[in-house]
Amino acid sequence: MTTQPADEVWSRLDELSDDEVATLVEAAEHVLADLAEDDEPGAAMLAKMPVAHVGPALADTLREAGTDVDPDAVTALLRDTERSRLLAVEALRGISAEPVLAEQVAAAYRARREMMAIDPSLVLAGSLLLLVLKLKRIKVGKVDISFYEVREGALAQLRSLLGR
């Protein structure tokens, strides 16, 4: 497999196959959890939560942000492959706007693509979305990245898909 620049995967975000999106989501979850571990000790656990627990956690996060939703509706949304993909792509789009973070996620993505270590039928938008919504900031080397804009975009997409 040839090495590709980081922006290549980000420029094709809307065109990626479900397999590619799932691999990119897994890479993003891993990078975010690793980078956030010092400031958010539970970040790694967020990335490993099953969808049955992610739904209620996202519903709580939405409630904190001013939108009251049924946790079961959020869980059903996350289990819907098409709508879950929309959430994943929105969260990934926010990550791609941070060049230093985007490069690290793209490198992790390339490494995973070479290993092919993910189930291609699985799109894990819920855990990535929960990480993006729960993290306030992370440090990548000397760069301090705030998740405010990423959070707002992800919340807007989630509200839209839930009809709120």
Side-chain angles (χ1 to χ4, degrees):
M1 191 170 279
T2 60
T3 300
Q4 301 167 346
D7 63 348
E8 190 274 337
V9 71
W10 300 116
S11 67
R12 299 183 315 111
L13 199 52
D14 291 318
E15 301 150 15
L16 296 176
S17 69
D18 287 348
D19 174 39
E20 291 170 311
V21 170
T23 304
L24 190 56
V25 163
E26 184 185 77
E29 288 173 345
H30 177 79
V31 169
L32 290 175
D34 279 355
L35 292 171
E37 198 58 35
D38 288 341
D39 295 323
E40 296 281 338
M45 290 185 62
L46 293 176
K48 296 176 184 173
M49 286 177 71
V51 72
H53 295 198
V54 172
L58 283 173
D60 288 344
T61 301
L62 277 167
R63 199 171 298 107
E64 290 167 9
T67 303
D68 193 28
V69 294
D70 176 14
D72 291 337
V74 177
T75 301
L77 170 69
L78 296 174
R79 288 190 169 133
D80 180 313
T81 305
E82 187 176 314
R83 295 188 308 160
S84 182
R85 178 189 168 97
L86 292 172
L87 288 171
V89 169
E90 183 60 35
L92 291 166
R93 195 175 319 284
I95 290 168
S96 75
E98 298 291 344
V100 177
L101 181 58
E103 177 55 47
Q104 287 207 6
V105 172
Y109 167 78
R110 287 189 300 270
R112 280 167 174 69
R113 292 296 295 170
E114 289 172 5
M115 293 186 306
M116 296 301 288
I118 189 168
D119 177 356
S121 65
L122 192 58
V123 177
L124 304 170
S127 295
L128 175 61
L129 188 61
L130 190 56
L131 273 167
V132 166
L133 293 176
K134 291 288 188 184
L135 297 177
K136 292 177 180 45
R137 65 173 193 77
I138 59 171
K139 279 187 98 80
V140 182
K142 294 181 180 181
V143 179
D144 193 28
I145 299 173
S146 167
F147 275 88
Y148 179 75
E149 288 181 25
V150 175
R151 185 180 198 282
E152 291 307 309
L155 280 171
Q157 181 71 30
L158 186 54
R159 285 179 182 121
S160 172
L161 290 171
L162 288 167
R164 299 289 176 156

